[in-house]
Amino acid sequence: MIKTEALQVELIQVEQIIEARWVVPVDPKNSLYEFYAVVMNHQLIVDVLPTLQARMKYQANEVVVLDDHVLIPGLINAHTHAAMTVMRGIADDQPLMVWLNEHIWPAERAIVTERYVEDASLLACAEMLAGGTTCFNDMYFYPQATATAATKAGIRAHLGLTVLEFPTNYAVDADDYLLKGFEAHDSWRGNNLISSMLAPHAPYTISNQTFEKVLTYAEQLGLGIHTHLHETRDEISQSEVTYGVRPIQRLATLGMLGPGFVAAHGVHLLPHEIDMLAEYGSHIAHCPASNLKLGSGIAPIDALLKNHVNVCIGTDGAASNNRLDMFSEMRLAALLSKGVSEDASVLPAYDALKMATINAANAIGLDTKIGSIDIGKQADLVAVKLSDFSISPCYDPVSHLVYSCGREHVTHTWVAGALRYSNGTYANIEPVELKEIIQTWQPKLRQYKH
């Protein structure tokens, strides 16, 4: 009789394996994997493979088993103002310019300080992590304070170096805004969670001269540009009176459009302007809830997508939304596109998920790091439980994510491989601290409600 010895296979040691019922990698093939595992080591995704194969190939310090969950890339909020979260609800039911001129800007002049921004941003980070958002593209004053809050929370932040012409508590003129922005930008070099782009507020608050400076600095430093654009009809009319052209044409003439240009809103775009965005490879950050709540209108998303413009999704600030909830934004974006086009096949669920993940990563220049579940990318991941009776049964997990699930179904949020939120508990944030932030700032803001 011939004896044979069993082959001993040495397992590869890794830090963590997540075994999920479903994995949605967000790839060009619109893949959905069942009974799959994601293997993580040193902040990175090192493998994506069937669970049984993972058990035969790897040995992990920790294995997380999610039998009732779908694992997706971390959601990316492509346009927000995190520090406005404490202003949630102070001036509801007002059109944009009334909302800004009579409520928001006076409130900001009265209370916005570096301490305020850090506190309010931490509250926003907590809300976003609990809702599966792992990265946000921000535009606000004191970006260093937002960076401090984001780093504490463990969330990824792409921070705008905000530029305005008029004085605020933060800076006195455009040059001062730029100087302070660059100082902040230099301070977080080496921080894996923080990146940035230049953020001139909007064509109606920025001069041609300042736009030209912004463009020069963007080219020299390799930074993108993030601004509000064509949010309201009044903005466009004002530009036609002042400059003789619509805002997008003005920016195109100045050389601002390009693959590093992210335009928030893009509600009122003519067909040739959509062609222009496509030609320059620029991006639209679609904010459906904010646009509806401020009465700004509905962006032509179907036309943008048909013309191959990269569209991502943002919440805008909680003061105009009033939630930092990417699940509700995905659902609303899909439903609005179907309703406006009168075509139920427009913006299917997988495409809506792409807008909230890889499309946003592409817009902010982080698509090689985040936005999909790919080997070599940062392990920014979110687990969503699909077995709750209120959303059962489930036939298509991707469709379920967009049309049935809410942020309350998020159970785990990982950023760069670290678990930052799990079943109501934060890794680095104490609920009592959030309560103190609200109690500190709400009384100071109450007077600006009316």
Side-chain angles (χ1 to χ4, degrees), residues 74-78 134-138 155-159 191-197 222-224 259-260 262 283 310 357-372 374 376-378 380:
L75 302 175
I76 302 170
N77 189 339
T134 58
C135 177
F136 63 101
N137 184 33
D138 201 58
I155 194 171
R156 197 178 300 278
H158 193 66
L159 302 179
N191 186 333
N192 179 52
L193 295 180
I194 307 297
S195 52
S196 59
M197 65 198 311
L223 298 178
V262 180
H283 316 270
N310 184 53
T357 52
I358 192 62
N359 288 16
N362 183 36
I364 62 178
L366 295 179
D367 51 303
T368 60
K369 293 181 66 175
I370 60 174
S372 60
D374 282 331
K377 285 195 173 184
Q378 294 273 304
D380 290 12

Side-chain angles (χ1 to χ4, degrees), residues 83-124:
M84 298 182 79
T85 300
V86 184
M87 299 180 189
R88 189 193 326 260
I90 68 167
D92 288 342
D93 305 322
Q94 301 291 334
L96 175 63
M97 296 317 297
V98 172
W99 179 78
L100 282 173
N101 287 313
E102 299 181 17
H103 301 276
I104 298 301
W105 285 343
E108 288 178 333
R109 284 192 294 269
I111 69 150
V112 171
T113 61
E114 191 167 4
R115 171 62 188 279
Y116 166 82
V117 172
E118 183 176 340
D119 281 354
S121 295
L122 187 65
L123 185 64

